[in-house]
């Protein structure tokens, strides 16, 4: 989801396809994380929506190919149509960006011979057997580029991974050295933290993630919120999200903007006077505040929505209206809205617009040759 939504936020059209499936269908995703075992644990993730039929897809219609990791590459590497598409991108010398276990597909397609490549460490024997020149991913966020091939080892590498792809696509980033504070809490929504954080980092931003009562180096639990047939969203465990700064040490004056993810964290964070004071400092300083989903519960409690046009997850509408804001219906759910220095959206499908509007407020532009 991070590469998919990040590229859209930068103005790139992205088609997501899967063999045997059509536009409008979805793929199951997995939460892979280290929680104390000798290898990663797997939990059920979001349902990822496809927006194009796989049948008929041709490399000549695209400028680059992105291959996510997880367990899917194991079986996709057995699909002849998949391998032919990969070979076509390679022959055309178009950028191929592959991460984690995605390199299993590259190996099966026979395009790694003599290429410097990294991957999730357990894939090393396959890379070497395929003739690739193994590059150790130390730290795990390290990515590599060899000609038109970009490889990474795991999702912590997304910022560099996406940054290298942007460069390969001829992107020029202007005014990208900004510093953003992300207000985190236990059981914030997984995507709503990870996507804005890594999308901003990929264009050169520094993003400090903080949580009241926790310090830099600790983590917060996240939640996967999705619609799966019930009258409201379901919840499943998400990744453990690392904190990079200590809440008690941060001040609004040290940042250019504030990002507030949704999920369940805003319920209890809206009771924290220090949190509310910090939000007010950003507001009175006329610095951009970007809040999504249930994050607007904090804005309502801080009293910064009076007279503002604002959207949010629909169930938060009463709190938004009672706080004196003018409600904007999130139709479609992918829309975001900017009023002055305030950017709001209803849920993670709106990330492309949400992040794009924040980038615009901060004066950051991305141009492609």
């Amino acid at each position: 989801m991070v590469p998919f939504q990040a590229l859209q936020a930068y103005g790139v059209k992205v088609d997501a396809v899967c063999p045997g499936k059509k536009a409008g269908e979805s793929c199951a995703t997995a939460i892979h994380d280290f929680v104390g075992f000798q290898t990663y644990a797997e939990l059920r993730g979001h349902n990822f929506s496809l927006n194009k039929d796989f049948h008929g897809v041709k490399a000549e219609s695209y400028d680059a190919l992105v291959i996510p990791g997880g367990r899917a590459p194991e079986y996709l590497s057995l699909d002849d149509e998949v391998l032919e598409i990969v070979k076509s991108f390679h022959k055309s010398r178009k950028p191929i960006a592959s991460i984690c276990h995605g390199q299993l597909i590259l190996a099966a397609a026979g395009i790694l011979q003599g290429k410097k490549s990294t991957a999730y460490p357990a894939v090393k024997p396959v890379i070497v057997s395929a003739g690739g020149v193994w590059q150790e991913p130390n730290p795990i966020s390290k990515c590599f580029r060899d000609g038109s091939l970009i490889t990474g080892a795991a999702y912590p590498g997304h910022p560099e991974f996406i940054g290298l792809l942007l460069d390969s696509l001829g992107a020029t980033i202007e005014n990208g050295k900004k510093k953003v504070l992300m207000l985190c809490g236990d059981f914030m929504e997984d995507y709503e933290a990870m996507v804005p954080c890594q999308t901003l980092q990929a264009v050169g931003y520094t993003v400090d993630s903080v949580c009241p009562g926790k310090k830099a180096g600790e983590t917060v639990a996240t939640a996967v919120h999705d619609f799966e047939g019930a009258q409201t969203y379901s919840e499943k465990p998400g990744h453990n999200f690392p904190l990079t700064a200590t809440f008690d040490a941060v001040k609004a004056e040290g940042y250019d903007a504030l990002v507030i993810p949704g999920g369940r964290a805003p319920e209890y964070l809206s009771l924290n006077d220090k949190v509310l004071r910090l939000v007010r400092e950003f507001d009175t300083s006329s610095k951009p505040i970007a809040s999504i989903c249930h994050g607007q519960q904090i804005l309502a409690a801080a009293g910064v929505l009076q007279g503002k046009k604002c959207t949010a997850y629909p169930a938060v509408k009463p709190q938004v209206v009672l706080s004196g804001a003018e409600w904007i219906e999130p139709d479609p759910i992918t829309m975001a809205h900017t009023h002055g220095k305030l950017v709001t959206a209803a849920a993670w499908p709106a990330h492309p617009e949400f992040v794009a509007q924040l980038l615009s407020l901060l004066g950051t532009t991305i141009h492609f040759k």
Side-chain angles (χ1 to χ4, degrees), residues 7 33 48 58 75 86 110 122 129 204 223 236 266 279 310 336 357-358:
L7 290 170
D33 212 349
F48 185 93
K58 295 182 180 179
Y75 76 88
V86 172
S129 296
K236 300 183 287 287
V279 171
C310 173
Q357 290 179 30
L358 176 59

Side-chain angles (χ1 to χ4, degrees), residues 202-227:
V203 294
Y205 281 36
T206 296
V207 181
D208 282 347
S209 53
V210 298
C211 175
K214 297 193 180 189
K215 298 178 180 179
E218 296 184 271
T219 63
V220 292
T222 70
V224 170
H225 287 169
D226 212 349
F227 278 87

Side-chain angles (χ1 to χ4, degrees), residues 96-270:
I96 297 175
S98 181
I99 196 164
C100 192
H101 287 70
Q103 287 79 300
L104 293 172
I105 297 174
L106 306 184
I111 68 168
L112 290 180
Q113 184 67 43
K115 291 286 187 179
K116 293 179 181 179
S117 173
T118 194
Y120 182 69
V123 181
K124 178 180 178 179
V126 181
I127 299 291
V128 173
S129 296
V133 181
W134 176 254
Q135 305 296 298
E136 196 65 37
N138 186 19
I140 198 68
S141 58
K142 180 64 178 173
C143 298
F144 296 88
R145 175 167 55 182
D146 187 340
S148 59
L149 178 65
I150 299 161
T151 54
Y155 68 85
H158 277 148
E160 185 178 5
F161 181 73
I162 296 169
L164 289 172
L165 177 57
L166 286 175
D167 188 63
S168 294
L169 289 170
T172 300
I173 301 166
E174 296 180 358
N175 203 21
K177 301 297 181 182
K178 299 292 184 177
K179 192 172 183 180
V180 171
L181 184 66
M182 178 171 285
L183 186 55
C184 304
D186 282 325
F187 299 106
M188 63 183 181
E189 213 286 328
D190 187 299
Y191 279 168
E192 290 170 9
M194 194 73 76
V195 174
C197 178
Q198 294 189 321
T199 302
L200 295 173
Q201 289 174 327
V203 294
Y205 281 36
T206 296
V207 181
D208 282 347
S209 53
V210 298
C211 175
K214 297 193 180 189
K215 298 178 180 179
E218 296 184 271
T219 63
V220 292
T222 70
V224 170
H225 287 169
D226 212 349
F227 278 87
E228 300 180 298
Q231 289 187 334
T232 189
Y233 54 84
S234 62
E235 178 172 301
K236 300 183 287 287
H239 295 89
N240 292 310
F241 188 88
L243 302 172
T244 59
T246 300
F247 178 80
D248 288 339
V250 299
K251 296 181 179 180
E253 64 191 40
Y255 297 92
D256 298 300
L258 174 67
V259 174
I260 306 177
R264 287 195 292 108
E267 291 181 341
Y268 77 88
L269 292 178
S270 66

Side-chain angles (χ1 to χ4, degrees), residues 272-327:
N272 188 307
D273 288 337
K274 291 183 178 179
V275 167
L276 303 184
R277 187 161 54 249
L278 182 64
V279 171
R280 293 183 192 118
E281 288 174 2
F282 275 92
D283 182 62
T284 56
S285 301
S286 295
K287 293 184 175 182
I289 298 174
S291 183
I292 194 167
C293 192
H294 287 72
Q296 286 78 303
Q297 292 176 315
I298 296 174
L299 303 184
V304 302
L305 290 181
Q306 182 69 40
K308 301 283 182 66
K309 293 181 179 180
C310 173
T311 192
Y313 182 70
V316 182
K317 178 180 178 179
Q319 290 173 267
V320 169
V321 173
L322 287 170
S323 69
E326 179 182 338
W327 175 254

